[in-house]
Amino acid sequence: MEMQQLMLFRPHSRAIMLEGSSLCQFSFNFHDKCSKPIAQISFQTRRSKLANFSDSEAVDYSLNTISEHANCNGKELSCDLYNEMICELCEEGELNDALALLSQMEALGYRPNLISYSCLVTGLGNVGRTLEADAIFQEMLISGCRPKIRLFNALLTSCLKKGLLELSDKVLKAIDDLGLDRNRKTFEILLDYYVSAGRLNDTWLVIAEMKRKGYHPNSYVYSKIIEIYRDNGMWKKAMGVLGEVRAKGMTLDRKIYNSIIDTFGKYGEVGEALEVFEKMQEDHIKPDVKTWNSLIRWHCKFGDISGAVNLFGRMQEQGIYPDPKIFMTIISCLGEQGKWDVIRKIFETMKGKGQQRSGAIYAILVDIYGQYGKFHNAEDCILALKSEGIQLSPSMFCVLANAYAQQGLCEQTVKVLQLMEAEGMEPNLIMLNVLINAFATAGRHMEALSIYQHIKESGISPDVVTYSTLMKAFLWAKKFDQVPKIYSEMEASGCSPDRKAREMLKSALIVLERGH
């Protein structure tokens, strides 16, 4: 196998010019076919963190970091000690420091061991730094280390989070070329992505291959089957899966219950969803944050705001900390109705219960939706989070970007993306979909189209959300003739249109027929 087969292309900056926009330009990381040596990547990563220091201060900072983690007392570090320190730093989330040590280690002629390589690849992949993870993975292969399937799974997960299907295929090919067997986790990673992306045919291909390899469907697989049926409008088939589960003598666990609740909720059957929820607890299965989020989201979607607020309170009473995404859903619904007194009460109740773990993010979301103005500058928002000691993550950036996007604050949405890149995190498909939604909400369909073109040029595979959001942008801009074209592209790409996309297509076709 050629080692370049798995190389993730190195990024370079390219400006996307937006026609008719007050935004002159903004930059994304594109991929090209150039790859930098590990030491250079590590050095540049480290230097970005020390940008505000002089050269001598930077050296002192680096040495202090090393001695702080190693107790080396000025002695020369051994290869084993370097490996131990790299693993320790990865566990602590200090990836930039770990990369700096890797650079120094290689400069001395040492090679990391398999465990160090695995920690680095997994750690970088988990925070969305896919390019660096892959570069280190290549170095690992060149050094003669034989990665285990668990490491391939970590790299596969990282690629799919960004929607890099072609690169994911190369990871899978490398697994086969090295004579490794795909395990159940490999198949579950693929299933999770294909279901969330609305790729019905690919989902069934993965399930068929699982069965050929001797991995019979478990509760996780059945929950995904229910979800893919749900998302493709196959209501009866989704519920029919329960009969198959019972026929096999399987008990309903949390995964299956969550899928059933979400299926009922998506089709507006919130009463039935609540009945399943109560049955779940009768069976002594404790609801998790996904269960509560699903119930709250669909209550908001179908106008039962009081029911959503009640569930939000019950969730906290059971000791489950609210997800910022679901908090954003509630305050956006209440904000649309002008119920800011209720929002303030909810927020004060949360603080009164001692839920300060990430209180700053909730305060910022309330501020954005309340249009108070304090955090309408994305840079101020990120600085406030850092001052509170909150660990920034790709998910956190997506939540913030979505909050700005729903308010039609396009420039600030783009700024969040740029700040995410400045933190060393690569924008994923979710983030880019949020950006499309921001421009769609603001009625700027050409900018939304530019983001879509960027996604394709970057090698990222658009999912059903990408296409449906772009359809919304053209529908709201009254460019009805473009909606069927986007729908056709969605089908041609392998994505199965969801109910929302089908409804938008129907609306556009009705207008076009009347025009003729």
Side-chain angles (χ1 to χ4, degrees):
M1 180 190 71
E2 294 181 1
M3 290 304 171
Q4 293 300 318
Q5 197 170 38
L6 273 176
M7 288 303 293
L8 291 177
F9 306 135
R10 302 302 306 157
H12 62 86
S13 179
R14 181 182 298 178
I16 298 178
M17 300 305 294
L18 302 179
E19 300 177 11
S21 170
S22 59
L23 276 175
C24 294
Q25 65 180 32
F26 54 91
S27 299
F28 293 102
N29 286 332
F30 276 71
H31 302 104
D32 61 26
K33 296 182 179 179
C34 301
S35 180
K36 299 179 182 179
I38 294 296
Q40 187 178 351
I41 294 171
S42 302
F43 176 75
Q44 290 180 343
T45 303
R46 184 65 171 170
R47 290 298 296 174
S48 67
K49 185 173 182 178
L50 304 178
N52 296 324
F53 292 88
S54 67
D55 288 342
S56 61
E57 287 173 327
V59 171
D60 291 340
Y61 181 90
S62 182
L63 290 173
N64 288 336
T65 301
I66 291 172
S67 60
E68 181 181 315
H69 284 274
N71 277 330
C72 56
N73 295 323
K75 297 180 181 178
E76 184 178 346
L77 299 178
S78 67
C79 183
D80 289 342
L81 189 52
Y82 266 115
N83 282 313
E84 289 176 12
M85 290 166 62
I86 287 173
C87 292
E88 180 184 342
L89 289 167
C90 288
E91 289 175 3
E92 294 175 358
E94 298 292 340
L95 295 171
N96 288 342
D97 290 337
L99 288 171
L101 278 181
L102 175 63
S103 179
Q104 295 175 23
M105 185 180 187
E106 292 180 329
L108 293 171
Y110 295 142
R111 283 285 186 184
N113 59 24
L114 176 61
I115 297 175
S116 293
Y117 275 129
S118 299
C119 288
L120 285 163
V121 172
T122 303
L124 290 167
N126 287 341
V127 297
R129 295 167 66 170
T130 313
L131 303 180
E132 292 164 287
D134 179 73
I136 291 173
F137 184 78
Q138 294 304 316
E139 184 81 3
M140 178 181 179
L141 293 176
I142 292 169
S143 70
C145 291
R146 182 180 174 85
K148 297 181 180 180
I149 188 64
R150 182 170 60 184
L151 190 59
F152 276 104
N153 286 343
L155 193 58
L156 180 64
T157 301
S158 182
C159 291
L160 289 175
K161 279 182 179 179
K162 288 196 66 181
L164 300 169
L165 284 186
E166 291 183 8
L167 295 170
S168 300
D169 288 340
K170 291 179 180 179
V171 173
L172 293 171
K173 186 177 186 304
I175 293 174
D176 297 336
D177 289 344
L178 288 174
L180 297 173
D181 291 325
R182 303 179 188 183
N183 60 13
R184 181 178 287 276
K185 181 64 177 177
T186 312
F187 291 115
E188 289 181 352
I189 291 168
L190 290 169
L191 270 180
D192 186 63
Y193 173 76
Y194 288 138
V195 170
S196 63
R199 296 179 178 272
L200 181 61
N201 292 336
D202 289 329
T203 299
W204 286 120
L205 287 173
V206 171
I207 292 173
E209 187 178 356
M210 279 187 75
K211 291 179 178 178
R212 284 198 301 271
K213 295 288 186 178
Y215 294 109
H216 298 291
N218 57 10
S219 62
Y220 180 86
V221 175
Y222 279 116
S223 69
K224 291 299 172 183
I225 293 174
I226 292 172
E227 289 174 24
I228 197 69
Y229 277 143
R230 174 203 68 198
D231 294 339
N232 283 272
M234 303 176 185
W235 166 268
K236 292 183 178 179
K237 285 190 175 182
M239 292 297 99
V241 173
L242 292 178
E244 184 176 344
V245 171
R246 292 193 177 99
K248 290 182 177 293
M250 296 176 62
T251 56
L252 301 184
D253 61 7
R254 185 183 292 112
K255 291 185 178 69
I256 294 181
Y257 267 118
N258 283 347
S259 296
I260 297 169
I261 288 170
D262 207 46
T263 300
F264 277 124
K266 184 169 184 174
Y267 288 90
E269 304 292 340
V270 291
E272 285 78 357
L274 284 172
E275 288 181 12
V276 174
F277 175 68
E278 298 301 335
K279 177 67 167 60
M280 176 182 186
Q281 295 177 92
E282 290 174 8
D283 290 343
H284 305 291
I285 297 175
K286 186 177 180 179
D288 60 6
V289 68
K290 186 176 180 180
T291 317
W292 292 102
N293 284 355
S294 179
L295 286 168
I296 293 169
R297 179 173 66 254
W298 297 121
H299 275 74
C300 288
K301 171 74 173 178
F302 292 100
D304 188 359
I305 305 301
S306 60
V309 172
N310 179 54
L311 287 165
F312 190 78
R314 287 177 61 186
M315 173 176 63
Q316 294 175 77
E317 288 172 2
Q318 293 199 9
I320 298 179
Y321 195 79
D323 185 328
K325 293 179 182 178
I326 208 63
F327 180 74
M328 188 172 68
T329 299
I330 285 184
I331 64 174
S332 63
C333 290
L334 290 170
E336 289 172 1
Q337 298 182 7
K339 296 182 178 180
W340 287 101
D341 55 332
V342 179
I343 292 176
R344 291 192 187 93
K345 184 178 179 181
I346 290 174
F347 187 58
E348 291 302 321
T349 301
M350 289 171 61
K351 291 197 295 183
K353 291 182 178 179
Q355 295 176 334
Q356 302 291 343
R357 186 177 62 186
S358 58
I361 181 64
Y362 295 98
I364 288 168
L365 291 173
V366 169
D367 180 88
I368 293 172
Y369 275 98
Q371 299 180 354
Y372 299 138
K374 182 179 179 182
F375 291 114
H376 271 205
N377 186 312
E379 288 179 310
D380 292 341
C381 167
I382 298 300
L383 287 173
L385 291 175
K386 286 183 175 180
S387 68
E388 292 290 332
I390 294 174
Q391 184 72 33
L392 298 176
S393 66
S395 176
M396 187 72 73
F397 279 105
C398 287
V399 169
L400 292 172
N402 196 27
Y404 285 119
Q406 290 190 23
Q407 295 295 317
L409 301 171
C410 302
E411 285 79 4
Q412 295 308 321
T413 306
V414 172
K415 190 64 180 178
V416 172
L417 184 142
Q418 293 171 335
L419 291 168
M420 179 181 180
E421 289 181 322
E423 292 291 327
M425 302 175 194
E426 303 157 24
N428 55 21
L429 184 58
I430 296 173
M431 189 66 158
L432 295 171
N433 285 343
V434 166
L435 199 52
I436 293 176
N437 185 55
F439 288 125
T441 303
R444 294 157 64 169
H445 65 284
M446 290 306 297
E447 287 94 329
L449 182 62
S450 295
I451 308 302
Y452 170 66
Q453 295 297 338
H454 157 72
I455 289 173
K456 295 198 297 182
E457 290 171 11
S458 299
I460 299 175
S461 299
D463 62 8
V464 66
V465 177
T466 311
Y467 289 109
S468 60
T469 308
L470 189 61
M471 287 173 67
K472 181 181 81 172
F474 281 99
L475 196 65
W476 286 14
K478 298 185 179 180
K479 304 292 182 181
F480 302 107
D481 58 320
Q482 297 300 312
V483 176
K485 294 179 182 178
I486 300 166
Y487 189 90
S488 297
E489 283 189 42
M490 184 193 314
E491 292 184 311
S493 73
C495 286
S496 303
D498 59 7
R499 183 174 64 171
K500 181 180 179 181
R502 291 193 295 270
E503 289 175 350
M504 286 191 289
L505 175 66
K506 184 178 179 180
S507 298
L509 291 175
I510 290 173
V511 174
L512 290 172
E513 288 174 4
R514 288 175 180 173
H516 293 293

